[in-house]
Amino acid sequence: MQSSDTTKYIIHSKVNADGVIERPDIVGAIFGQTEGLLGSDLDLRDLQKTGRIGRIEVIVNTKGGKTRGNIHIPSSLDRIETSILAASLETIDRVGPCTAKIEVSQIEDVRATKRKHIIDRAKYILTDMFDENLPESQEIAEEVRQSVRIEEMQYYGKNKIPCGPNVLDSDAIVVVEGRADVLNLLRYGIKNTICVGGTNVPPEVAELTKKKTVTAFTDGDRGGKLIIKELLQVADIDYVARAPDGKSVEDLVQREIVRSLRQKVPVEQAIDAYSIEGESSGKTPATAKKGRLPRVAKRKERVVKPDVSRTASKTKDLAEPKERKESRHRPERRQSPARRSYPPEASRFKKHSEDLTGTLGARLLDNEDKVISETPVRDLVNALKESEENIKSVVFDGVITQRILDIASSRGIENLVGVKRGNITKNPTSVKVYTAQGA
């Protein structure tokens, strides 16, 4: 009798007979017709006596004068011997008085099945049993971590505005909505944050934005849009970042925070999106720049402050050339559709480009320049990565960056049409780049 503890493989086979047969007939045929076929080392009777072959299981079903069934033979032999034994079953051509055919359908590795069970059970133990008995030490660690975050928080100005410890020293800051947002960013090591406490932006924050490179980071709801509108009118910001739709900054995890900040858009695009262009904010290019410290000078001062350098490295992507800061105070930042010019080979994209003007949207086109889908510019990178369509051209109301160009090249996209070119250092020959002012 085969012990289940030593079984390595199970031979699964099917039997078909032209007549009525029963289990003993099939077992007898297996032993009788394989006897002496493979020599004494692989004789089924000897193998079963020594426990290397287990009890042969047969399940048969008779219908309409024909018999169908399944045969299962446990084996503790190695893979080669088990394969030879399985092949010998297919030499059986009669069972009892009937012609029959046996065909091997599968060799099951019992150890692989056990390993799968172990993995599934371990997953359950890890996710359910440990959660039900949360160690007290974890609760203590979380409480200590929370207290450290609160201790790191500082306050700015006479109104005691909550902020991170590096707001004054860093030349780039992140403006968020409330105290909870500052705490959440502190949790992930972003210490150059300050909040506005709602739609009524404090004068201290508005004045501070004139001296820094500023990213406004708000919730993905209507309140976040209102705060951006006010900041665009009373403060001096450079970039706009939004949490995913329906989510608050205080609820985001580190991955979502990093993604949102990387997808920030220049303030020029935000002005068009939030219909702020032309509204008077009481600022002119001269007054907006008043009090702004030279960027180079500020960086030199920060060299002697080692504990600030880590935060500066995390926010270095917020820095921006001085010329862009000045450009949004000019009366005309973008050409109107009627004044845009295209090279002859890009004229077929002109209608798509004009339709998208001022929308901060993007269109993904097929090889016949038909629209596959539309997406906001801030989601364009993810849309290109996740789309399974055969995209050949992309037309969007935004800046063509090196990142978008690299993704387009990897996806086999042939044409990129945007408002203007960003800082592109590598231009793949497989992608043609066009802008409103020319290629």
Side-chain angles (χ1 to χ4, degrees):
M1 182 69 66
Q2 170 67 26
S3 171
S4 61
D5 294 337
T6 60
T7 299
K8 297 179 182 178
Y9 306 100
I10 297 178
I11 303 171
H12 295 270
S13 57
K14 297 179 180 180
V15 58
N16 298 313
D18 295 332
V20 178
I21 58 174
E22 296 180 348
R23 178 186 178 280
D25 299 322
I26 297 174
V27 175
I30 292 174
F31 280 106
Q33 296 185 40
T34 59
E35 185 176 3
L37 181 63
L38 303 176
S40 59
D41 290 341
L42 292 178
D43 183 76
L44 278 178
R45 297 185 188 276
D46 293 339
L47 291 174
Q48 197 169 58
K49 287 178 183 179
T50 58
R52 302 179 71 187
I53 289 295
R55 184 173 183 269
I56 299 176
E57 298 288 343
V58 179
I59 303 172
V60 293
N61 180 31
T62 303
K63 184 177 180 181
K66 295 183 182 294
T67 303
R68 304 286 184 270
N70 295 305
I71 305 172
H72 308 294
I73 304 178
S75 168
S76 60
L77 302 170
D78 62 23
R79 298 175 62 180
I80 296 176
E81 292 173 331
T82 300
S83 300
I84 295 172
L85 185 62
S88 71
L89 298 177
E90 297 187 345
T91 63
I92 299 172
D93 54 4
R94 293 189 69 84
V95 175
C98 308
T99 58
K101 181 180 180 181
I102 296 178
E103 182 180 0
V104 176
S105 58
Q106 179 189 1
I107 303 294
E108 178 186 351
D109 189 337
V110 176
R111 294 168 297 180
T113 304
K114 290 181 179 179
R115 283 193 291 267
K116 185 178 184 303
H117 171 75
I118 291 171
I119 293 171
D120 293 341
R121 185 60 180 168
K123 289 179 181 178
Y124 172 79
I125 292 172
L126 178 63
T127 57
D128 290 2
M129 295 187 179
F130 277 100
D131 288 345
E132 291 173 2
N133 303 287
L134 185 66
E136 185 179 354
S137 60
Q138 286 192 10
E139 297 176 355
I140 296 173
E142 181 60 30
E143 184 176 345
V144 172
R145 189 179 296 112
Q146 178 73 13
S147 65
V148 170
R149 287 165 51 193
I150 295 176
E151 288 177 1
E152 283 185 329
M153 179 176 287
Q154 297 183 5
Y155 299 91
Y156 177 76
K158 63 179 181 179
N159 291 327
K160 303 293 183 182
I161 302 169
C163 65
N166 293 343
V167 163
L168 292 179
D169 295 327
S170 177
D171 63 348
I173 63 173
V174 179
V175 177
V176 294
E177 295 187 26
R179 181 178 183 273
D181 300 338
V182 176
L183 277 174
N184 193 37
L185 294 182
L186 279 175
R187 176 182 181 184
Y188 299 113
I190 302 176
K191 301 182 179 182
N192 58 334
T193 58
I194 189 168
C195 70
V196 295
T199 55
N200 187 18
V201 179
E204 298 101 312
V205 176
E207 185 63 27
L208 181 65
T209 60
K210 299 178 182 179
K211 306 174 184 178
K212 309 283 185 179
T213 299
V214 183
T215 297
F217 188 18
T218 62
D219 297 343
D221 55 14
R222 185 173 181 275
K225 292 182 179 179
L226 294 177
I227 290 175
I228 291 176
K229 277 195 172 186
E230 179 163 355
L231 285 171
L232 288 171
Q233 296 179 56
V234 304
D236 196 6
I237 66 175
D238 301 88
Y239 297 94
V240 172
R242 298 290 308 282
D245 290 344
K247 287 192 175 184
S248 301
V249 174
E250 63 183 280
D251 298 326
L252 300 182
V253 298
Q254 185 176 17
R255 181 182 64 257
E256 294 173 316
I257 292 173
V258 172
R259 184 188 301 119
S260 298
L261 290 175
R262 284 179 177 174
Q263 292 177 347
K264 64 184 181 293
V265 298
V267 71
E268 293 89 344
Q269 297 182 12
I271 288 176
D272 294 337
Y274 295 100
S275 303
I276 302 299
E277 184 175 2
E279 297 184 12
S280 60
S281 60
K283 292 194 300 182
T284 64
T287 58
K289 298 297 175 183
K290 185 177 180 180
R292 182 184 292 274
L293 299 178
R295 295 282 167 84
V296 176
K298 285 190 291 182
R299 289 194 179 96
K300 290 181 179 179
E301 293 173 2
R302 293 177 62 234
V303 171
V304 298
K305 300 179 181 180
D307 57 2
V308 178
S309 60
R310 185 167 67 90
T311 302
S313 66
K314 291 185 177 182
T315 57
K316 64 183 180 179
D317 60 332
L318 301 179
E320 181 190 33
K322 189 173 181 181
E323 291 76 13
R324 173 169 288 184
K325 192 76 173 181
E326 295 173 348
S327 65
R328 67 188 179 91
H329 299 290
R330 298 169 185 165
E332 295 183 7
R333 285 170 300 280
R334 298 172 59 181
Q335 292 179 323
S336 64
R339 296 174 58 186
R340 288 184 175 179
S341 58
Y342 295 84
E345 61 271 22
S347 59
R348 59 190 173 112
F349 303 115
K350 183 176 181 180
K351 185 176 187 311
H352 291 296
S353 180
E354 292 180 349
D355 289 345
L356 293 171
T357 300
T359 65
L360 292 181
R363 288 182 178 178
L364 312 183
L365 310 179
D366 60 15
N367 55 2
E368 296 180 356
D369 296 341
K370 294 181 180 179
V371 179
I372 297 175
S373 63
E374 295 192 11
T375 183
V377 170
R378 67 176 183 177
D379 298 330
L380 179 57
V381 170
N382 288 336
L384 293 177
K385 288 182 177 180
E386 297 171 2
S387 176
E388 298 179 357
E389 302 289 342
N390 185 20
I391 304 170
K392 290 300 181 183
S393 303
V394 178
V395 182
F396 64 104
D397 187 38
V399 178
I400 300 175
T401 63
Q402 184 68 60
R403 187 182 183 198
I404 293 176
L405 187 58
D406 292 340
I407 294 173
S409 176
S410 66
R411 286 297 312 274
I413 295 172
E414 299 174 354
N415 303 289
L416 275 180
V417 183
V419 177
K420 58 183 178 181
R421 299 169 68 103
N423 185 17
I424 297 176
T425 57
K426 297 185 300 179
N427 194 349
T429 57
S430 60
V431 183
K432 297 179 181 178
V433 177
Y434 304 105
T435 66
Q437 293 79 25

